Amino acid sequence: MDKKNSTKDTEQSLSLFGKIRAIFKNETIHFVIGLVLVIFSVYLLLAFSSFFFTGAADQSIIDSGNAQELASTNNGVKNYAGSRGAQLASYLINDCFGISSFFILVFLAVAGLKLMRVRVVRLWKWFIGCSLLLVWFSVFFGFAFVEQYKDSFLYLGGMHGYNVSNWLVSQVGVPGVWMILLVTAICFLIYLSARTVIWLRRLFSLSFLKRKQKEEEEKGETPEEFTDSWTAKGKKKPVAVPDVADIKEEEAPVEIPEPIKEPENEITLDLGGVTETQPAKVSGEEVSMTIETPVPDPVPPFHEKAAEPVFEIEATENDDEYKGPEKEPYNPRLDLENYRYPTIDLMKHYENAEPTIDMAEQNANKDKIINTLRSFGIEISTIKATVGPTVTLYEITPEQGVRISKIRGLEDDIALSLSALGIRIIAPIPGKGTIGIEVPNSNPKIVSGQSIIGSKKFQESTYDLPVALGKTITNEVFMVDLCKMPHMLVAGATGQGKSVGLNAIITSLLYKKHPAELKFVLVDPKKVEFSIYSVIEHHFLAKLPDGEDAIITDVTKVVQTLNSICVEMDTRYDLLKAAHVRNIKEYNEKFINRQLNPEKGHKFMPYIVVVIDEFGDLIMTAGKEVELPIARIAQLARAVGIHMIIATQRPTTNIITGTIKANFPARVAFRVSAMIDSRTILDRPGANQLIGRGDMLFLQGADPVRVQCAFIDTPEVAEITKFIAKQQGYPTAFYLPEYVGEDGGGSDLGDVDMGRLDPLFEDAARLIVIHQQGSTSLIQRKFAIGYNRAGRLMDQLEKAGIVGPAQGSKAREVLCVDENDLQMRLNNLL
């Protein structure tokens, strides 16, 4: 009886604790607590402000009055916040930290706004910053205004600052205290921004180093700072300047391979007379299984790594190589240098996301598998279970002489005995001498986007375009690099997780890339899937110059956009050829190190990711017009940083043609209804045996990997895009080059009125002649005007005989040889 009563008491206390915990996790309770904190901070602000004016009059009352007098109505306190406000102000300002106590109000207000979900902030960073400023200013005011403590009612540094500064003076003296204050202030500024280091280096070293170097060069000597310390005394050797690529390799973090260990969520089940060890606590007849799943590390804040100045020596061997006038590397992020990456707390946290092991379910499934195989005359020696978020993998080792094909043929019989939605047999498991049977869990867990994006593996990844898809059966984060793939095909039946999968891909890239480094072209025939991303148009989206919406929904615009991307691809290849590099990574490194001349058309190239939803609908409506540019981009665009992701819910051979499959080596298959659809996507069965709701197979290479896709819901995406949209963006979206189809080759110049020339006509004409490039986008960029006005200017230039007619996707021919020829034409015209 005592044992039963104690068990009931324990259960009641646990349930009570769970209820209390649930109350404090309620969003309404959070809002109320946040509102109280904000109001309390305003009350303290009133008390502190009033203390500066009424503190002298109230000092004697507060110091000499007892609790009853202060609680009375006629207490004589003049502070606007009453006697309690006067007490708080006197205690916090005079007895504690002085006027730096205002930082307490700041933190309380910020914490309240975060709880109310009015502002998205990193609370721990605000806590550390406010605490450091509170202590530092208290000591500073206590030390700098120590004489003021004698005659004033207000102690600027409080008793804390006074006592700490007196102790520091006794230990290190007055100069030592100033040095401590200076060093701690510099350290705090470095904590706030890494640019402080660059500023200090310029302040302390560059000015006098340059002066000293100039003096030494005038004397004909080499400065000591730049001599090789390993050179023998008395011998001068030239300094070897390391290549930029070598510098970056040295700065890259060295990845130390972790020791291979068995996944912590693996259990081994005893079979007949064979017993294998399992990490379970055995107590009498009861078996309790505890699993330690790796908890993701706290998310490090996304900081923009400041580019450190690199000392460069001009090359004398290759005089033709371009060197920019500035010594510092070009920073593509400088236009949006205050851009902050989305924080992990924008995503939803799920309580039941961690995998748990139900030993009763595992043992029951184990017995059913053994009995089913035994009934068909198949004996097995060992069986081991690996528990994943939604599926458990049972690895069996058959006895000698058992044919694998015999076990593979029993798939439906095993599914029947387990009463499972669908099982999948892997015979054999690649790299292992076992056969795998994947069985859905009776209580599947949600793989949250927060657990994937917040994982250490994702945060510390060095991929160029990292895409975190979800978790494998062994409960490990599954990540791929889109640059290595280089294009992805996503297919699956309606409602099986394609849209959520596309959200996971786009969100992964938004969390890791700066707007200067990545642009999206979003094609959405359904008109509703990608509309949520329209708010980040000026940060991450690319579109045609005359396009109204950045999310492309019209089929005719889709064809025009894809052909425009082909033009962009050809232009990028021309720039790569001129720069003598093979891919976009090498090109951008050269441009950042100012080895390419912007006057010759060179520019920093962001990655472009084209995402097409409902590809089947496009093929039905546009056919070859869509398929041809897609195939061309898929074949060629990898080297210039253009990657494609296409999704369809109709994985049939007339949609996913041989051309598409050949150029999309990476494929993601969600659940499909028929085996033939699985073969169309993956060239093998398997997708028809998935359980749905984000369960997918990822194929790149030999064997598919089963992954539970991360669940990122629409409200989470809305919060992330809202966070980005609130920040400063570019004036417009990223403009793709203009494209004129074959039917639009000749423009109707009858309506062009040469009597009312555009004010920029002459400037545009000179620009075109100097660059010898008849491009509307060139006029747009140089004069910062819209596409329509630039098009009218080009029509006027054509009618004036300065440029030739449009030639499809190519730039117009420039008919003027030089500026003298142009001036003659302008004189005749005017």
Side-chain angles (χ1 to χ4, degrees):
M1 284 294 291
D2 293 339
K3 190 174 181 180
K4 288 182 180 178
N5 289 336
S6 63
T7 306
K8 284 183 180 179
D9 293 341
T10 307
E11 288 177 357
Q12 287 178 357
S13 62
L14 285 173
S15 63
L16 181 63
F17 178 74
K19 287 177 182 177
I20 295 171
R21 190 177 174 190
I23 288 171
F24 279 101
K25 288 198 171 182
N26 191 329
E27 191 173 333
T28 307
I29 299 296
H30 283 187
F31 184 87
V32 172
I33 295 172
L35 184 63
V36 170
L37 286 176
V38 171
I39 293 173
F40 182 61
S41 64
V42 173
Y43 174 75
L44 283 180
L45 177 64
L46 182 66
F48 284 12
S49 304
S50 179
F51 181 75
F52 289 101
F53 306 103
T54 62
D58 294 340
Q59 187 177 17
S60 58
I61 301 172
I62 292 170
D63 291 343
S64 61
N66 54 33
Q68 286 184 342
E69 290 177 358
L70 290 172
S72 64
T73 307
N74 301 318
N75 49 31
V77 174
K78 308 255 189 223
N79 193 295
Y80 299 149
S83 60
R84 302 305 169 195
Q87 279 183 300
L88 274 172
S90 177
Y91 174 72
L92 289 173
I93 294 178
N94 279 348
D95 296 342
C96 291
F97 300 104
I99 59 173
S100 63
S101 299
F102 277 95
F103 288 110
I104 298 174
L105 314 188
V106 173
F107 177 72
L108 288 175
V110 168
L113 292 174
K114 180 178 174 63
L115 287 171
M116 293 168 68
R117 293 203 170 184
V118 174
R119 301 291 296 173
V120 178
V121 295
R122 297 189 188 99
L123 202 56
W124 60 270
K125 191 172 183 180
W126 276 90
F127 176 75
I128 293 172
C130 289
S131 301
L132 293 174
L133 290 171
L134 180 76
V135 173
W136 191 89
F137 276 105
S138 174
V139 175
F140 172 76
F141 285 121
F143 172 67
F145 299 96
V146 67
E147 296 298 327
Q148 180 263 357
Y149 279 74
K150 296 177 183 177
D151 304 320
S152 174
F153 76 94
L154 176 65
Y155 300 162
L156 290 178
M159 292 309 297
H160 167 268
Y162 178 75
N163 292 330
V164 172
S165 61
N166 280 347
W167 180 78
L168 286 174
V169 169
S170 69
Q171 300 299 312
V172 296
V174 173
V177 176
W178 281 116
M179 291 177 189
I180 289 172
L181 289 171
L182 178 63
V183 168
T184 50
I186 290 172
C187 290
F188 181 74
L189 290 173
I190 291 172
Y191 168 74
L192 287 180
S193 173
R195 288 187 174 275
T196 308
V197 177
I198 300 174
W199 182 79
L200 289 172
R201 280 179 180 161
R202 289 176 182 167
L203 182 67
F204 287 113
S205 62
L206 288 181
S207 56
F208 74 81
L209 273 179
K210 286 178 181 175
R211 203 179 306 119
K212 190 170 182 180
Q213 183 183 4
K214 209 171 187 180
E215 292 172 2
E216 295 286 351
E217 283 175 354
E218 287 173 1
K219 296 178 184 177
E221 298 176 2
T222 306
E224 257 182 43
E225 289 82 1
F226 307 125
T227 55
D228 192 351
S229 60
W230 294 92
T231 313
K233 193 173 182 181
K235 295 182 181 179
K236 300 286 183 184
K237 290 188 179 180
V239 183
V241 180
D243 188 58
V244 175
D246 296 335
I247 293 172
K248 293 204 171 185
E249 285 178 8
E250 289 172 9
E251 289 178 352
V254 180
E255 294 185 6
I256 303 172
E258 296 182 358
I260 299 172
K261 59 180 181 180
E262 291 293 324
E264 294 181 355
N265 55 339
E266 284 195 0
I267 59 173
T268 306
L269 304 170
D270 60 316
L271 173 64
V274 182
T275 305
E276 296 199 11
T277 56
Q278 56 184 11
K281 300 175 184 177
V282 181
S283 172
E285 295 179 355
E286 296 180 359
V287 178
S288 63
M289 174 63 63
T290 57
I291 258 219
E292 293 182 5
T293 52
V295 179
D297 294 341
V299 185
F302 288 93
H303 287 305
E304 181 186 331
K305 189 174 180 182
E308 297 185 4
V310 180
F311 177 73
E312 295 181 357
I313 297 176
E314 290 186 7
T316 55
E317 295 178 3
N318 186 9
D319 294 332
D320 295 334
E321 186 178 359
Y322 174 78
K323 287 287 182 184
E326 301 180 36
K327 290 187 177 181
E328 282 190 19
Y330 170 75
N331 183 9
R333 303 179 180 184
L334 201 58
D335 290 337
L336 300 181
E337 60 179 341
N338 296 320
Y339 175 78
R340 290 185 297 127
Y341 291 86
T343 54
I344 200 65
D345 53 3
L346 296 171
M347 307 185 85
K348 189 175 178 182
H349 176 72
Y350 292 89
E351 291 298 323
N352 63 338
E354 297 302 324
T356 55
I357 292 180
D358 185 353
M359 287 303 299
E361 180 186 350
Q362 307 306 322
N363 287 321
N365 286 343
K366 178 254 302 186
D367 293 336
K368 289 174 183 176
I369 290 171
I370 293 168
N371 294 333
T372 303
L373 293 175
R374 189 172 288 162
S375 65
F376 288 94
I378 298 172
E379 295 292 335
I380 58 177
S381 56
T382 59
I383 183 168
K384 186 171 70 170
T386 304
V387 183
T390 56
V391 175
T392 299
L393 172 65
Y394 294 90
E395 293 184 51
I396 62 173
T397 307
E399 293 284 1
Q400 295 232 345
V402 176
R403 296 174 65 88
I404 291 177
S405 59
K406 193 174 182 182
I407 297 176
R408 195 185 286 120
L410 298 175
E411 194 169 67
D412 294 335
D413 299 284
I414 297 172
L416 178 65
S417 67
L418 293 172
S419 304
L421 182 63
I423 68 166
R424 178 169 167 259
I425 292 181
I426 311 168
I429 296 177
K432 294 184 179 181
T434 57
I435 295 171
I437 302 174
E438 293 176 346
V439 182
N441 295 337
S442 59
N443 185 24
K445 303 296 181 184
I446 294 174
V447 176
S448 66
Q450 189 185 59
S451 65
I452 302 298
I453 301 295
S455 65
K456 186 177 180 182
K457 184 176 181 180
F458 180 79
Q459 295 299 327
E460 296 181 356
S461 70
T462 56
Y463 292 161
D464 293 318
L465 290 176
V467 172
L469 291 173
K471 286 187 177 180
T472 61
I473 288 180
T474 55
N475 212 40
E476 295 175 357
V477 174
F478 185 77
M479 277 183 60
V480 290
D481 188 358
L482 188 57
C483 283
K484 301 284 177 66
M485 296 166 71
H487 311 290
M488 188 189 299
L489 171 65
V490 182
T494 305
Q496 303 304 321
K498 285 193 316 301
S499 298
V500 175
L502 292 177
N503 281 343
I505 293 168
I506 296 172
T507 303
S508 300
L509 296 171
L510 291 179
Y511 264 90
K512 288 291 279 186
K513 304 305 287 184
H514 190 275
E517 301 166 343
L518 174 66
K519 301 297 175 184
F520 287 101
V521 176
L522 301 180
V523 178
D524 181 17
K526 284 200 293 190
K527 304 182 181 181
V528 293
E529 288 295 338
F530 292 150
S531 59
I532 198 165
Y533 295 103
S534 60
V535 294
I536 59 172
E537 175 182 338
H538 291 183
H539 295 82
F540 281 102
L541 299 190
K543 67 176 185 179
L544 291 170
D546 58 343
E548 296 178 2
D549 298 325
I551 312 298
I552 303 151
T553 55
D554 186 10
V555 175
T556 57
K557 289 288 184 185
V558 172
V559 176
Q560 203 173 351
T561 302
L562 291 174
N563 285 304
S564 175
I565 293 169
C566 289
V567 176
E568 173 73 13
M569 178 182 72
D570 294 335
T571 305
R572 289 190 172 198
Y573 266 115
D574 292 338
L575 293 176
L576 259 64
K577 179 184 175 183
H580 304 293
V581 294
R582 296 181 60 189
N583 55 52
I584 186 174
K585 197 170 182 181
E586 295 175 7
Y587 178 90
N588 282 340
E589 280 184 9
K590 262 194 163 185
F591 188 83
I592 285 171
N593 291 290
R594 301 190 185 276
Q595 296 173 359
L596 300 173
N597 190 352
E599 295 297 325
K600 294 184 178 179
H602 290 293
K603 57 186 178 181
F604 182 83
M605 296 183 191
Y607 288 100
I608 297 177
V609 177
V610 185
V611 186
I612 302 177
D613 196 13
E614 297 303 335
F615 177 65
D617 184 66
L618 290 181
I619 290 292
M620 287 174 60
T621 52
K624 292 292 182 184
E625 290 184 8
V626 168
E627 188 177 351
L628 288 176
I630 284 179
R632 189 159 181 264
I633 292 167
Q635 287 169 352
L636 296 174
R638 173 183 184 174
V640 291
I642 301 175
H643 304 276
M644 294 199 74
I645 300 167
I646 62 175
T648 179
Q649 64 179 359
R650 297 179 55 219
T652 55
T653 51
N654 61 333
I655 303 295
I656 305 175
T657 60
T659 307
I660 296 295
K661 286 177 69 173
N663 295 300
F664 284 77
R667 302 180 200 154
V668 173
F670 290 89
R671 188 184 181 191
V672 293
S673 55
M675 184 189 293
I676 190 170
D677 293 339
S678 178
R679 289 189 182 278
T680 304
I681 307 166
L682 304 173
D683 298 321
R684 69 197 73 198
N688 56 312
Q689 297 160 328
L690 300 175
I691 61 173
R693 296 177 62 86
D695 190 20
M696 71 183 198
L697 290 173
F698 176 83
L699 176 67
Q700 187 184 17
D703 298 294
V705 180
R706 192 164 185 173
V707 179
Q708 178 62 37
C709 184
F711 180 67
I712 301 178
D713 205 2
T714 305
E716 296 177 73
V717 179
E719 287 293 321
I720 294 165
T721 53
K722 194 188 301 178
F723 178 88
I724 296 171
K726 283 181 180 178
Q727 304 182 54
Q728 179 190 357
Y730 294 103
T732 62
F734 180 83
Y735 282 144
L736 297 169
E738 60 176 322
Y739 172 77
V740 180
E742 294 178 1
D743 54 346
S747 58
D748 184 10
L749 300 177
D751 297 335
V752 179
D753 184 6
M754 298 302 289
R756 298 175 58 188
L757 292 176
D758 192 285
L760 292 174
F761 176 78
E762 289 189 38
D763 294 332
R766 287 192 174 84
L767 176 72
I768 293 295
V769 171
I770 289 170
H771 286 81
Q772 286 294 303
Q773 182 184 353
S775 168
T776 308
S777 58
L778 176 66
I779 297 175
Q780 276 185 269
R781 289 198 307 272
K782 291 296 182 183
F783 298 114
I785 59 176
Y787 178 78
N788 294 330
R789 186 180 177 186
R792 285 195 300 271
L793 273 168
M794 191 60 74
D795 290 341
Q796 291 174 0
L797 290 170
E798 182 182 350
K799 193 161 186 179
I802 297 170
V803 297
Q807 302 175 4
S809 61
K810 295 181 181 179
R812 295 169 183 252
E813 182 186 0
V814 182
L815 303 178
C816 291
V817 181
D818 54 19
E819 289 191 65
N820 293 329
D821 187 9
L822 171 66
Q823 194 60 47
M824 290 175 61
R825 289 177 187 262
L826 291 177
N827 292 338
N828 294 333
L829 182 66
L830 300 173

